[in-house]
Amino acid sequence: MTFGEQPAYLRVASDLRKKIVNGSLPPHTRLPSQARIREEYGVSDTVALEARKVLMAEGLVEGRSGSGTYVRERPVPRRIARSGYRPAHGTVNPFRQEQAAEGARGTWESSSEREGAPAQIAERLGIAPGDPVMRTRYLFRDGGEPMMLSTSWEPLALTGRTPVMLPEEGPLGGCGVVERMAAIDLVVDNVVEEVGARPGLAEELLALGGVPGHVVIVVERTYYASGRAVETADVVVPADRYRVAYHLPVR
């Protein structure tokens, strides 16, 4: 193979991908069979199979038991806006914090549980592994459609035995981190977000309506008050359905 030349299975996958993108193979159309690919492109069964595997891994096609492989409908990505802006007065619920948009049709489910901080979370919070934290898991929906998962951890050394120990209960239940921490005299003055992507975990894709192999966007967010981490969270969204847009103030 000369420099820059693609393996045969990638060339076949690339041609089939073009047909999917340009509409020659529209959504819900059955992908050519392995035998048809072999004949049309003059390749071996192995090459034809590997090309189909590439398209499936990219989420362009899906297998249907007893029926074959079909082109998936390609969703139009929607935006999830991120913003450092916080209103001067009033409270902001967690979903509005994540969407940072007015008119959200969002609902969410949540559950909180006390646990020992895993090593990676402890490092982000600046505490020792195993120190007690309150873990809260959220499933956010927009118009009834699962759109985002979020898992947050708060050090119980800060919030334990206070009215804000449980993020979704008590007098400030459902308010944002900034407002809740202010109630216990912790002024949040900085937030750091790191954005990455990875294959979704099986349980994440099950909750979000994805299929195995789909990629998710992960936002690792940490709130600080005078240099001390008061909350950290992993926000997970399907990469094929959403884009993360940042609105940053110019100083």
Side-chain angles (χ1 to χ4, degrees):
M1 184 173 67
T2 60
F3 178 76
E5 183 181 353
Q6 286 185 320
Y9 77 95
L10 288 181
R11 293 199 302 272
V12 174
S14 177
D15 190 66
L16 290 170
R17 186 189 302 112
K18 288 179 183 177
K19 292 179 178 179
I20 292 172
V21 172
N22 68 23
S24 298
L25 287 172
H28 311 297
T29 299
R30 186 172 181 175
L31 192 71
S33 66
Q34 188 170 316
R36 176 74 179 274
I37 293 174
R38 181 190 64 210
E39 295 172 3
E40 183 176 344
Y41 293 93
V43 296
S44 67
D45 280 332
T46 300
V47 169
L49 177 61
E50 289 302 315
R52 289 160 63 89
K53 285 182 178 178
V54 168
L55 298 177
M56 191 167 290
E58 292 175 351
L60 294 174
V61 300
E62 60 184 354
R64 299 179 186 175
S65 180
S67 179
T69 304
Y70 291 80
V71 177
R72 294 183 67 246
E73 187 166 2
R74 301 177 67 210
V76 177
R78 296 159 60 190
R79 291 197 314 161
I80 294 179
R82 311 287 294 166
S83 174
Y85 170 77
R86 293 293 184 272
H89 303 286
T91 59
V92 181
N93 65 44
F95 192 43
R96 189 59 61 84
Q97 282 188 327
E98 300 302 347
Q99 285 193 304
E102 295 183 359
R105 299 172 296 153
T107 59
W108 67 90
E109 307 161 13
S110 67
S111 63
S112 295
E113 184 177 350
R114 179 189 177 114
E115 71 173 14
Q120 185 181 24
I121 298 305
E123 182 178 0
R124 285 159 57 175
L125 289 173
I127 60 178
D131 279 0
V133 293
M134 184 62 68
R135 182 196 66 206
T136 303
R137 289 175 172 159
Y138 295 90
L139 170 60
F140 296 96
R141 301 179 187 273
D142 183 21
E145 175 190 347
M147 63 166 292
M148 178 168 57
L149 298 172
S150 178
T151 304
S152 70
W153 295 266
E154 296 178 353
L156 285 171
L158 299 179
T159 63
R161 297 184 180 182
T162 73
V164 301
M165 183 175 71
L166 294 169
E168 295 298 315
E169 298 181 22
L172 293 178
C175 296
V177 173
V178 174
E179 291 76 16
R180 291 175 49 251
M181 294 301 163
I184 55 174
D185 298 324
L186 292 171
V187 179
V188 173
D189 52 17
N190 191 26
V191 57
V192 174
E193 294 193 346
E194 296 185 10
V195 182
R198 59 167 171 77
L201 304 178
E203 56 269 27
E204 292 171 339
L205 296 175
L206 180 63
L208 293 170
V211 298
H214 273 195
V215 173
V216 295
I217 300 170
V218 181
V219 180
E220 294 185 2
R221 179 198 68 205
T222 305
Y223 281 107
Y224 295 89
S226 300
R228 184 174 188 177
V230 298
E231 187 256 18
T232 194
D234 287 342
V235 180
V236 178
V237 295
D240 63 331
R241 284 186 274 147
Y242 292 94
R243 297 289 182 267
V244 178
Y246 281 83
H247 300 267
L248 304 176
V250 177
R251 296 184 179 180

